[in-house]
Structures are given as structure tokens and as C-alpha cells.
mmCIF file of all heavy atoms in Angstrom:
data_model
loop_
_atom_site.group_PDB
_atom_site.id
_atom_site.type_symbol
_atom_site.label_atom_id
_atom_site.label_comp_id
_atom_site.label_asym_id
_atom_site.label_seq_id
_atom_site.Cartn_x
_atom_site.Cartn_y
_atom_site.Cartn_z
ATOM 1 N N LYS A 569 5.818 2.417 -12.205
ATOM 2 C CA LYS A 569 4.551 1.994 -12.810
ATOM 3 C C LYS A 569 4.306 2.647 -14.165
ATOM 4 O O LYS A 569 3.454 2.207 -14.926
ATOM 5 C CB LYS A 569 3.391 2.313 -11.853
ATOM 6 C CG LYS A 569 3.482 1.571 -10.524
ATOM 7 C CD LYS A 569 3.544 0.069 -10.749
ATOM 8 C CE LYS A 569 3.797 -0.689 -9.475
ATOM 9 N NZ LYS A 569 3.926 -2.145 -9.707
ATOM 10 N N ASN A 570 5.042 3.726 -14.444
ATOM 11 C CA ASN A 570 5.005 4.380 -15.751
ATOM 12 C C ASN A 570 3.581 4.657 -16.256
ATOM 13 O O ASN A 570 3.182 4.202 -17.326
ATOM 14 C CB ASN A 570 5.759 3.531 -16.780
ATOM 15 C CG ASN A 570 5.995 4.298 -18.077
ATOM 16 O OD1 ASN A 570 6.055 5.522 -18.071
ATOM 17 N ND2 ASN A 570 6.113 3.583 -19.173
ATOM 18 N N PRO A 571 2.782 5.420 -15.495
ATOM 19 C CA PRO A 571 1.423 5.727 -15.965
ATOM 20 C C PRO A 571 1.464 6.724 -17.123
ATOM 21 O O PRO A 571 2.433 7.453 -17.301
ATOM 22 C CB PRO A 571 0.780 6.366 -14.734
ATOM 23 C CG PRO A 571 1.928 7.023 -14.027
ATOM 24 C CD PRO A 571 3.097 6.101 -14.222
ATOM 25 N N ARG A 572 0.399 6.766 -17.870
ATOM 26 C CA ARG A 572 0.294 7.771 -18.937
ATOM 27 C C ARG A 572 0.162 9.171 -18.364
ATOM 28 O O ARG A 572 0.599 10.142 -18.980
ATOM 29 C CB ARG A 572 -0.912 7.456 -19.831
ATOM 30 C CG ARG A 572 -0.726 6.238 -20.717
ATOM 31 C CD ARG A 572 -1.816 6.176 -21.765
ATOM 32 N NE ARG A 572 -1.606 5.070 -22.693
ATOM 33 C CZ ARG A 572 -2.382 4.822 -23.746
ATOM 34 N NH1 ARG A 572 -3.443 5.612 -23.972
ATOM 35 N NH2 ARG A 572 -2.133 3.810 -24.534
ATOM 36 N N LEU A 573 -0.449 9.288 -17.172
ATOM 37 C CA LEU A 573 -0.626 10.584 -16.527
ATOM 38 C C LEU A 573 -0.386 10.428 -15.035
ATOM 39 O O LEU A 573 -0.896 9.503 -14.401
ATOM 40 C CB LEU A 573 -2.035 11.125 -16.770
ATOM 41 C CG LEU A 573 -2.396 12.449 -16.074
ATOM 42 C CD1 LEU A 573 -1.520 13.587 -16.590
ATOM 43 C CD2 LEU A 573 -3.867 12.780 -16.271
ATOM 44 N N TYR A 574 0.409 11.347 -14.477
ATOM 45 C CA TYR A 574 0.703 11.365 -13.040
ATOM 46 C C TYR A 574 0.215 12.699 -12.480
ATOM 47 O O TYR A 574 0.667 13.765 -12.890
ATOM 48 C CB TYR A 574 2.212 11.203 -12.843
ATOM 49 C CG TYR A 574 2.706 11.273 -11.422
ATOM 50 C CD1 TYR A 574 1.900 10.999 -10.319
ATOM 51 C CD2 TYR A 574 4.049 11.599 -11.171
ATOM 52 C CE1 TYR A 574 2.388 11.051 -9.036
ATOM 53 C CE2 TYR A 574 4.560 11.648 -9.881
ATOM 54 C CZ TYR A 574 3.727 11.377 -8.813
ATOM 55 O OH TYR A 574 4.216 11.429 -7.536
ATOM 56 N N VAL A 575 -0.731 12.625 -11.530
ATOM 57 C CA VAL A 575 -1.334 13.826 -10.953
ATOM 58 C C VAL A 575 -1.028 13.848 -9.460
ATOM 59 O O VAL A 575 -1.196 12.847 -8.755
ATOM 60 C CB VAL A 575 -2.859 13.853 -11.171
ATOM 61 C CG1 VAL A 575 -3.469 15.085 -10.518
ATOM 62 C CG2 VAL A 575 -3.183 13.808 -12.658
ATOM 63 N N LYS A 576 -0.579 15.027 -8.978
ATOM 64 C CA LYS A 576 -0.289 15.207 -7.564
ATOM 65 C C LYS A 576 -0.999 16.476 -7.094
ATOM 66 O O LYS A 576 -0.768 17.546 -7.630
ATOM 67 C CB LYS A 576 1.221 15.337 -7.367
ATOM 68 C CG LYS A 576 1.745 14.633 -6.180
ATOM 69 C CD LYS A 576 3.262 14.562 -6.028
ATOM 70 C CE LYS A 576 4.134 15.220 -7.018
ATOM 71 N NZ LYS A 576 5.567 14.965 -6.732
ATOM 72 N N ILE A 577 -1.840 16.349 -6.084
ATOM 73 C CA ILE A 577 -2.540 17.487 -5.493
ATOM 74 C C ILE A 577 -2.087 17.603 -4.043
ATOM 75 O O ILE A 577 -2.353 16.723 -3.224
ATOM 76 C CB ILE A 577 -4.075 17.314 -5.546
ATOM 77 C CG1 ILE A 577 -4.535 16.886 -6.946
ATOM 78 C CG2 ILE A 577 -4.767 18.596 -5.103
ATOM 79 C CD1 ILE A 577 -4.244 17.880 -8.046
ATOM 80 N N ILE A 578 -1.366 18.692 -3.707
ATOM 81 C CA ILE A 578 -0.786 18.850 -2.375
ATOM 82 C C ILE A 578 -1.376 20.089 -1.704
ATOM 83 O O ILE A 578 -1.215 21.196 -2.199
ATOM 84 C CB ILE A 578 0.749 18.993 -2.441
ATOM 85 C CG1 ILE A 578 1.363 17.851 -3.266
ATOM 86 C CG2 ILE A 578 1.332 19.048 -1.035
ATOM 87 C CD1 ILE A 578 1.117 16.465 -2.700
ATOM 88 N N ASP A 579 -2.057 19.882 -0.591
ATOM 89 C CA ASP A 579 -2.607 20.993 0.184
ATOM 90 C C ASP A 579 -1.834 21.068 1.502
ATOM 91 O O ASP A 579 -2.215 20.486 2.515
ATOM 92 C CB ASP A 579 -4.101 20.778 0.436
ATOM 93 C CG ASP A 579 -4.800 22.071 0.836
ATOM 94 O OD1 ASP A 579 -4.104 22.987 1.297
ATOM 95 O OD2 ASP A 579 -6.029 22.153 0.674
ATOM 96 N N ALA A 580 -0.693 21.778 1.466
ATOM 97 C CA ALA A 580 0.164 21.921 2.647
ATOM 98 C C ALA A 580 1.123 23.074 2.411
ATOM 99 O O ALA A 580 1.567 23.289 1.308
ATOM 100 C CB ALA A 580 0.950 20.632 2.900
ATOM 101 N N CYS A 581 1.414 23.843 3.419
ATOM 102 C CA CYS A 581 2.425 24.892 3.257
ATOM 103 C C CYS A 581 2.975 25.346 4.577
ATOM 104 O O CYS A 581 3.140 24.543 5.478
ATOM 105 C CB CYS A 581 1.895 26.021 2.389
ATOM 106 S SG CYS A 581 0.475 26.848 3.051
ATOM 107 N N GLN A 582 3.229 26.649 4.795
ATOM 108 C CA GLN A 582 4.285 26.982 5.733
ATOM 109 C C GLN A 582 3.939 27.508 7.114
ATOM 110 O O GLN A 582 4.712 27.309 8.025
ATOM 111 C CB GLN A 582 5.230 27.976 5.082
ATOM 112 C CG GLN A 582 4.642 29.350 4.965
ATOM 113 C CD GLN A 582 5.599 30.282 4.267
ATOM 114 O OE1 GLN A 582 6.407 29.854 3.489
ATOM 115 N NE2 GLN A 582 5.491 31.532 4.537
ATOM 116 N N SER A 583 2.895 28.210 7.366
ATOM 117 C CA SER A 583 2.795 28.855 8.682
ATOM 118 C C SER A 583 2.208 27.922 9.725
ATOM 119 O O SER A 583 1.517 26.975 9.425
ATOM 120 C CB SER A 583 1.986 30.140 8.585
ATOM 121 O OG SER A 583 0.752 29.884 7.984
ATOM 122 N N GLY A 584 2.489 28.215 11.016
ATOM 123 C CA GLY A 584 2.244 27.238 12.062
ATOM 124 C C GLY A 584 1.071 27.482 12.974
ATOM 125 O O GLY A 584 0.950 26.818 13.983
ATOM 126 N N PHE A 585 0.185 28.415 12.691
ATOM 127 C CA PHE A 585 -0.978 28.645 13.557
ATOM 128 C C PHE A 585 -2.095 27.676 13.209
ATOM 129 O O PHE A 585 -2.103 27.058 12.165
ATOM 130 C CB PHE A 585 -1.466 30.086 13.432
ATOM 131 C CG PHE A 585 -0.603 31.022 14.203
ATOM 132 C CD1 PHE A 585 0.557 31.516 13.651
ATOM 133 C CD2 PHE A 585 -0.933 31.386 15.491
ATOM 134 C CE1 PHE A 585 1.381 32.358 14.366
ATOM 135 C CE2 PHE A 585 -0.124 32.227 16.218
ATOM 136 C CZ PHE A 585 1.039 32.707 15.651
ATOM 137 N N ALA A 586 -3.062 27.590 14.117
ATOM 138 C CA ALA A 586 -4.141 26.624 13.932
ATOM 139 C C ALA A 586 -4.824 26.845 12.598
ATOM 140 O O ALA A 586 -5.237 27.956 12.269
ATOM 141 C CB ALA A 586 -5.156 26.756 15.062
ATOM 142 N N TYR A 587 -4.953 25.751 11.889
ATOM 143 C CA TYR A 587 -5.636 25.724 10.596
ATOM 144 C C TYR A 587 -4.911 26.492 9.514
ATOM 145 O O TYR A 587 -5.467 26.785 8.477
ATOM 146 C CB TYR A 587 -7.077 26.225 10.692
ATOM 147 C CG TYR A 587 -7.776 25.691 11.901
ATOM 148 C CD1 TYR A 587 -8.530 26.513 12.717
ATOM 149 C CD2 TYR A 587 -7.651 24.355 12.245
ATOM 150 C CE1 TYR A 587 -9.157 26.010 13.851
ATOM 151 C CE2 TYR A 587 -8.272 23.853 13.376
ATOM 152 C CZ TYR A 587 -9.020 24.676 14.161
ATOM 153 O OH TYR A 587 -9.622 24.187 15.271
ATOM 154 N N ILE A 588 -3.648 26.885 9.736
ATOM 155 C CA ILE A 588 -2.806 27.446 8.684
ATOM 156 C C ILE A 588 -1.648 26.479 8.546
ATOM 157 O O ILE A 588 -0.854 26.326 9.451
ATOM 158 C CB ILE A 588 -2.286 28.845 9.020
ATOM 159 C CG1 ILE A 588 -3.466 29.766 9.289
ATOM 160 C CG2 ILE A 588 -1.447 29.396 7.901
ATOM 161 C CD1 ILE A 588 -3.063 31.166 9.649
ATOM 162 N N LYS A 589 -1.509 25.848 7.421
ATOM 163 C CA LYS A 589 -0.758 24.613 7.362
ATOM 164 C C LYS A 589 0.733 24.784 7.285
ATOM 165 O O LYS A 589 1.250 25.358 6.360
ATOM 166 C CB LYS A 589 -1.234 23.792 6.168
ATOM 167 C CG LYS A 589 -2.649 23.351 6.332
ATOM 168 C CD LYS A 589 -3.025 22.459 5.215
ATOM 169 C CE LYS A 589 -4.442 21.971 5.392
ATOM 170 N NZ LYS A 589 -4.843 21.155 4.295
ATOM 171 N N SER A 590 1.386 24.244 8.255
ATOM 172 C CA SER A 590 2.828 24.068 8.260
ATOM 173 C C SER A 590 3.164 23.267 9.490
ATOM 174 O O SER A 590 2.290 22.692 10.120
ATOM 175 C CB SER A 590 3.549 25.403 8.248
ATOM 176 O OG SER A 590 4.921 25.172 8.217
ATOM 177 N N LEU A 591 4.434 23.289 9.848
ATOM 178 C CA LEU A 591 4.879 22.483 10.958
ATOM 179 C C LEU A 591 5.222 23.394 12.121
ATOM 180 O O LEU A 591 5.870 24.399 11.928
ATOM 181 C CB LEU A 591 6.107 21.692 10.518
ATOM 182 C CG LEU A 591 6.515 20.509 11.380
ATOM 183 C CD1 LEU A 591 5.382 19.525 11.505
ATOM 184 C CD2 LEU A 591 7.722 19.843 10.760
ATOM 185 N N ASN A 592 4.809 23.026 13.333
ATOM 186 C CA ASN A 592 5.127 23.848 14.505
ATOM 187 C C ASN A 592 5.733 22.959 15.577
ATOM 188 O O ASN A 592 5.038 22.390 16.386
ATOM 189 C CB ASN A 592 3.857 24.515 15.031
ATOM 190 C CG ASN A 592 4.184 25.561 16.070
ATOM 191 O OD1 ASN A 592 5.255 25.562 16.650
ATOM 192 N ND2 ASN A 592 3.239 26.452 16.308
ATOM 193 N N TYR A 593 7.056 22.806 15.503
ATOM 194 C CA TYR A 593 7.771 22.065 16.522
ATOM 195 C C TYR A 593 8.399 23.071 17.480
ATOM 196 O O TYR A 593 9.330 23.776 17.118
ATOM 197 C CB TYR A 593 8.874 21.207 15.910
ATOM 198 C CG TYR A 593 8.365 20.011 15.154
ATOM 199 C CD1 TYR A 593 8.111 20.088 13.790
ATOM 200 C CD2 TYR A 593 8.133 18.811 15.809
ATOM 201 C CE1 TYR A 593 7.657 18.984 13.092
ATOM 202 C CE2 TYR A 593 7.679 17.709 15.109
ATOM 203 C CZ TYR A 593 7.440 17.797 13.762
ATOM 204 O OH TYR A 593 7.002 16.716 13.069
ATOM 205 N N LYS A 594 7.859 23.130 18.696
ATOM 206 C CA LYS A 594 8.402 24.056 19.690
ATOM 207 C C LYS A 594 8.521 25.460 19.111
ATOM 208 O O LYS A 594 9.559 26.094 19.124
ATOM 209 C CB LYS A 594 9.760 23.558 20.178
ATOM 210 C CG LYS A 594 9.668 22.206 20.883
ATOM 211 C CD LYS A 594 11.025 21.738 21.355
ATOM 212 C CE LYS A 594 10.916 20.379 22.044
ATOM 213 N NZ LYS A 594 12.220 19.884 22.492
ATOM 214 N N ASN A 595 7.433 25.932 18.518
ATOM 215 C CA ASN A 595 7.349 27.289 17.954
ATOM 216 C C ASN A 595 8.200 27.479 16.705
ATOM 217 O O ASN A 595 8.474 28.600 16.298
ATOM 218 C CB ASN A 595 7.745 28.345 18.995
ATOM 219 C CG ASN A 595 6.772 28.352 20.148
ATOM 220 O OD1 ASN A 595 5.584 28.176 19.942
ATOM 221 N ND2 ASN A 595 7.282 28.534 21.347
ATOM 222 N N LYS A 596 8.631 26.395 16.075
ATOM 223 C CA LYS A 596 9.390 26.525 14.833
ATOM 224 C C LYS A 596 8.434 26.394 13.651
ATOM 225 O O LYS A 596 7.761 25.393 13.488
ATOM 226 C CB LYS A 596 10.474 25.447 14.741
ATOM 227 C CG LYS A 596 11.622 25.682 15.712
ATOM 228 C CD LYS A 596 12.750 24.721 15.435
ATOM 229 C CE LYS A 596 13.941 25.028 16.330
ATOM 230 N NZ LYS A 596 15.078 24.135 16.049
#
């Protein structure tokens, strides 16, 4: 689409406890 401006806002990261963002597959 070749926009003049491309903005990405990502709210996600690494740890797996409740409300601390990451992935927890079988304690991984």
C-alpha cells in the first residue's frame, strides 16, 4: 500500500504469569 507513514504499536513481551505478557504453553 506504500503509505507515507507506517506506525506499529506493540504491547506484548515475554513473561508468562497472569497479566505479564508472554506465552505460557505448559509452563514454557
Side-chain angles (χ1 to χ4, degrees):
K569 298 303 173 183
N570 192 26
R572 289 192 176 183
L573 176 64
Y574 177 24
V575 178
K576 220 172 2 183
I577 312 298
I578 308 299
D579 198 339
C581 61
Q582 73 182 27
S583 53
F585 282 84
Y587 317 134
I588 303 179
K589 295 185 178 178
S590 182
L591 196 57
N592 190 341
Y593 288 92
K594 297 180 181 179
N595 296 323
K596 289 189 175 182

